Amino acid sequence: MPRQQMHSCDVCRRRKIRCDSVHQATCSACIKAKIDCKFTFGWRRIPRPRQDVSYSQPTVGQPSSPPWLRSRANSRPVVEPTSISHQGVSYSQSPVGQPSSSPRLRSRANSPPVVEPTNISHQSEVALSLEIAENGLFRFFKDGISRDSWSAFDDQDQMRVVYVGTNISNMSHLVQLDRPNPFFLIYPYPQIRPLPSASQNDAHDALQDINSFPAKEIRDEFIDAFFAKINSYFPVVDEANFRARYSNPGSRPSLLLLHVILLAGAHVSSHPRAIHARHFIKAVLFRRAKSVFNMRLETDRVNLVQAALLFTWYLQNGDTASANSYFWLGVGCRIAFGIGMHRNLLTDPPGPGRMPMSDRRCWRRVWWTLFTAEVLSALEHGRPCMIRHDDFDQAPLSMEDFREVDGEINPRIDVEYCMRNVELCHIALEVIGLSAPRADPSSMDKRIALLHARLATWKLTMNTDTGFSALNIRLHYHTIVIHLSRILATDEESRQVATSATRAIISIFESLQTSNLISRCQFTAATALTAAAIQITMEIQQALTTASPIVVVNDLDLLNRVCVVAGHLSKYWPTVEGVRKVFQGLVDRFSAVLRAHEDVPIDTEHVNWADILGDDAWLECDEMNQWQSVLDCGYEL
């Protein structure tokens, strides 16, 4: 009797059909479709661990765990449910007048380092989330713009929509590339996240999860990577205060802050054990940090704002409204406004009954980092910014604001970058206001001329170094220039300015890649790259009907360079893979026209997205299983 099939390939699983593969050989469905037969979601049935096998030795079919992993595999401390008070787990702070103490722990000496069924489910969810993020933009352009049916993707009661934003946003200009179709504000959009799992962890499992950490070697590497590569230009954490608590068993750092620092550090870490499973590691760390955030265990609301900012370093799925950077920055703004972070506390006299100066300086660093991130996010999407000039009175940053709790100015932080980025985002906030639905058209020309002058003045003192901070702030500058030029899209001078900014953006990205710095780019890098690709595509469309083929070839070369950069950037920001596929399809399409030597110009009034957006991408996740045990160690110093 044939053995019952226990697994399906990715294609059959997605199509919900029976897979006839045996021992992961190519199935008949994939043979017929002439596609690769892949198995990325693992086996459905989880083998039970054998009780007579020592857990210090590898099981059959599994690689041997290295010493740094085996040393912690047999002990995973968890928080006892009885240790929770009405205020939650007292992890980073202790009640007034009582010494600090960590949560009560117990050891599970006989717990094997295996992946539980819930973790297998989580791995599949991570893989599906990345697949959705990488291909959602494809499906939108293929079926969402030109289709007549409002339910192009789902039934009416399960619809998702996308707001394209004002006329400065990337999405609005991507839609306008499909010229013959009328332009609307709202379109149907494909799936943005996996369906929620039916299984729910109980309270004990959740508490165990949030008190699990990567092995100490990995944890220390992530923390060092965060402070060296992120906090240096995204200064939301007082490094001196955090490291003092982290190294002191009697005064541990905030549990929430620890998890989000590990999350952000995993994004930029170059540790060899993290490179090949970065997305899965970040998914586990995000789940833990978000659980702590949702459990309301954190009593210091400044830590909530810091966490919201560091959540922007993780791409959860394809949702650009109720998840990811746009959502978390909105959460951070609300909390910051609620505790008065937008007001100038430097005017309050120091004293025993007032906020310490070190805390005031930390507030200011966090506030201005939040301001810059929120403005750049609003610019990307063409949506209203939650922070307006009239709503805050914080003074500009100064060198003194970067003095940490130990009384020293952190030498890691690029102070000039932080102050100059704030100046630039003040200009960007004015650019966003130009495209507001009720913006006064009578004063538009005067406001645009003033912004051009301010940008030119800012650029005269722009740092010309080749370090990451200098390159990154130039990316912000040129992105703002392109968005401003879109308001006067028919003006020849504005088009030339945008063209120059586009070429600068491509050159900057290539310098970042050559210097191995592209991993440090935040979510704004995707904004800059997409804006550059759109600008080049519009120039190609115009050149195909009015210019020499040599001009088109030169522009195609630029667009191809964008696609190469997007391939590197997508390793850290999966949605950029969708951008790469969209514009690589256009490169292939326009190149085919030139090779055909047509005597008549191409009809660029309609871009047939269905012809160029027809493939799928699947996440390779062979190493996910072995990483779960690496991430499930206890907190040890």
Side-chain angles (χ1 to χ4, degrees):
M1 180 178 180
R3 185 175 181 180
Q4 183 179 1
Q5 178 75 7
M6 293 198 306
H7 67 292
S8 299
C9 71
D10 297 340
V11 173
C12 293
R13 181 184 292 271
R14 185 180 60 168
R15 295 173 59 189
K16 295 182 173 62
I17 61 176
R18 186 179 182 277
C19 181
D20 57 6
S21 170
V22 178
H23 300 303
Q24 298 192 3
T26 304
C27 69
S28 59
C30 291
I31 293 176
K32 184 177 180 180
K34 298 180 180 180
I35 59 178
D36 292 337
C37 192
K38 297 182 179 180
F39 297 80
T40 62
F41 290 106
W43 294 83
R44 294 178 185 173
R45 183 177 299 171
I46 309 302
R48 297 180 180 179
R50 295 181 56 183
Q51 300 298 326
D52 57 340
V53 178
S54 172
Y55 296 120
S56 61
Q57 299 177 355
T59 56
V60 177
Q62 295 182 345
S64 175
S65 299
W68 56 267
L69 177 57
R70 290 199 300 266
S71 63
R72 293 296 300 165
N74 298 332
S75 177
R76 188 166 61 180
V78 297
V79 179
E80 291 279 11
T82 55
S83 67
I84 302 179
S85 67
H86 66 282
Q87 294 179 339
V89 179
S90 176
Y91 181 88
S92 61
Q93 298 179 354
S94 57
V96 176
Q98 296 183 12
S100 174
S101 61
S102 60
R104 186 152 49 97
L105 306 176
R106 65 183 176 91
S107 174
R108 297 177 61 186
N110 297 324
S111 178
V114 298
V115 182
E116 300 176 359
T118 55
N119 292 328
I120 289 291
S121 175
H122 179 68
Q123 293 165 13
S124 300
E125 182 179 348
V126 171
L128 186 55
S129 295
L130 289 173
E131 192 270 336
I132 290 172
E134 291 175 351
N135 293 283
L137 189 63
F138 283 131
R139 297 189 60 202
F140 171 63
F141 278 101
K142 181 179 179 181
D143 300 321
I145 298 179
S146 57
R147 292 297 177 89
D148 297 331
S149 172
W150 180 248
S151 23
F153 301 108
D154 286 296
D155 296 334
Q156 183 108 11
D157 58 345
Q158 297 179 343
M159 278 295 300
R160 291 162 303 274
V161 298
V162 59
Y163 166 53
V164 299
T166 59
N167 63 341
I168 64 170
S169 74
N170 282 338
M171 182 62 79
S172 67
H173 283 263
L174 280 171
V175 171
Q176 290 175 41
L177 290 178
D178 196 21
R179 291 177 178 177
N181 293 308
F183 179 80
F184 302 107
L185 293 176
I186 304 293
Y187 290 88
Y189 201 79
Q191 185 179 4
I192 56 178
R193 65 169 68 91
L195 295 177
S197 175
S199 61
Q200 299 290 337
N201 293 334
D202 56 24
H204 184 277
D205 291 336
L207 290 170
Q208 175 179 312
D209 192 40
I210 65 175
N211 282 277
S212 297
F213 304 91
K216 189 175 187 303
E217 176 199 356
I218 306 295
R219 188 169 73 239
D220 291 345
E221 157 61 23
F222 288 175
I223 292 173
D224 291 341
F226 166 77
F227 284 113
K229 300 179 181 180
I230 293 180
N231 201 63
S232 58
Y233 77 98
F234 199 76
V236 297
V237 180
D238 189 309
E239 182 177 3
N241 183 40
F242 179 86
R243 288 194 178 276
R245 289 179 173 270
Y246 180 70
S247 60
N248 185 356
S251 179
R252 291 181 177 178
S254 159
L255 180 61
L256 174 62
L257 202 56
L258 175 58
H259 277 304
V260 293
I261 286 176
L262 292 174
L263 168 65
H267 180 91
V268 295
S269 173
S270 57
H271 195 286
R273 294 190 176 101
I275 292 175
H276 300 296
R278 192 182 306 276
H279 294 309
F280 174 67
I281 294 171
K282 290 177 63 180
V284 173
L285 296 174
F286 174 79
R287 181 191 68 207
R288 293 170 179 172
K290 188 170 182 290
S291 295
V292 179
F293 192 99
N294 293 338
M295 286 178 180
R296 303 288 184 178
L297 301 182
E298 182 57 65
T299 58
D300 188 345
R301 289 177 291 183
V302 176
N303 288 341
L304 297 179
V305 181
Q306 294 169 311
L309 280 165
L310 293 181
F311 278 144
T312 64
W313 287 87
Y314 175 67
L315 184 74
Q316 186 177 3
N317 46 48
D319 192 348
T320 60
S322 58
N324 300 315
S325 59
Y326 178 81
F327 171 80
W328 286 111
L329 289 171
V331 172
C333 287
R334 284 292 188 186
I335 299 173
F337 285 138
I339 62 177
M341 193 174 281
H342 58 298
R343 303 306 306 272
N344 186 6
L345 299 182
L346 294 180
T347 57
D348 289 354
R354 310 309 305 154
M355 179 184 290
M357 291 303 298
S358 60
D359 289 350
R360 300 188 199 187
R361 291 190 289 264
C362 181
W363 275 41
R364 286 172 47 74
R365 294 194 300 272
V366 173
W367 164 258
W368 284 117
T369 304
L370 178 64
F371 170 77
T372 57
E374 168 63 16
V375 169
L376 293 172
S377 177
L379 183 72
E380 172 190 6
H381 298 293
R383 301 169 186 168
C385 183
M386 289 194 66
I387 302 177
R388 303 181 303 172
H389 279 134
D390 296 338
D391 294 334
F392 64 91
D393 61 355
Q394 282 281 15
L397 284 170
S398 66
M399 181 68 72
E400 191 65 21
D401 292 319
F402 296 89
R403 194 175 300 279
E404 296 188 340
V405 71
D406 61 353
E408 301 293 333
I409 295 177
N410 191 337
R412 289 179 183 264
I413 298 178
D414 193 326
V415 177
E416 181 184 1
Y417 170 89
C418 297
M419 293 190 292
R420 297 280 287 160
N421 198 38
V422 169
E423 296 172 2
L424 189 59
C425 287
H426 276 295
I427 303 175
L429 189 56
E430 296 288 345
V431 174
I432 295 171
L434 292 176
S435 64
R438 294 190 177 184
D440 183 8
S442 62
S443 62
M444 191 70 65
D445 292 341
K446 181 179 179 180
R447 294 171 64 185
I448 291 176
L450 179 60
L451 287 172
H452 280 159
R454 291 176 64 185
L455 284 170
T457 302
W458 187 95
K459 186 181 180 182
L460 288 175
T461 56
M462 186 168 60
N463 194 333
T464 58
D465 293 343
T466 57
F468 174 79
S469 296
L471 293 173
N472 193 55
I473 202 168
R474 292 208 289 271
L475 270 184
H476 291 173
Y477 168 81
H478 293 297
T479 303
I480 294 170
V481 167
I482 291 178
H483 281 74
L484 178 58
S485 69
R486 290 172 175 174
I487 299 175
L488 297 175
T490 58
D491 183 80
E492 180 62 22
E493 182 179 351
S494 295
R495 189 189 68 81
Q496 292 178 0
V497 171
T499 299
S500 176
T502 296
R503 283 158 173 74
I505 287 175
I506 298 173
S507 177
I508 291 170
F509 271 115
E510 290 175 340
S511 297
L512 288 170
Q513 176 58 29
T514 302
S515 304
N516 198 26
L517 296 173
I518 204 165
S519 65
R520 299 180 63 180
C521 293
Q522 60 186 123
F523 68 90
T524 55
T527 309
L529 195 63
T530 305
I534 293 171
Q535 182 65 30
I536 297 171
T537 302
M538 292 190 296
E539 293 175 9
I540 293 174
Q541 288 179 330
Q542 182 179 8
L544 281 169
T545 56
T546 62
S548 164
I550 296 178
V551 177
V552 179
V553 170
N554 292 336
D555 288 339
L556 281 175
D557 179 64
L558 284 176
L559 193 56
N560 194 58
R561 288 163 61 187
V562 169
C563 295
V564 172
V565 170
H568 295 296
L569 188 60
S570 65
K571 297 175 183 178
Y572 304 94
W573 298 104
T575 50
V576 180
E577 176 64 15
V579 175
R580 186 196 67 80
K581 289 185 177 181
V582 167
F583 292 100
Q584 185 63 59
L586 286 173
V587 169
D588 297 340
R589 178 183 174 88
F590 293 141
S591 299
V593 172
L594 292 177
R595 285 193 297 267
H597 300 287
E598 293 182 347
D599 295 329
V600 295
I602 182 175
D603 178 15
T604 59
E605 292 302 312
H606 184 263
V607 179
N608 188 351
W609 294 102
D611 287 346
I612 60 178
L613 305 177
D615 56 346
D616 292 322
W618 295 92
L619 171 70
E620 297 293 342
C621 52
D622 296 336
E623 301 186 10
M624 284 186 176
N625 290 357
Q626 63 179 343
W627 267 102
Q628 187 64 46
S629 57
V630 178
L631 297 170
D632 284 344
C633 296
Y635 185 97
E636 62 175 349
L637 296 175

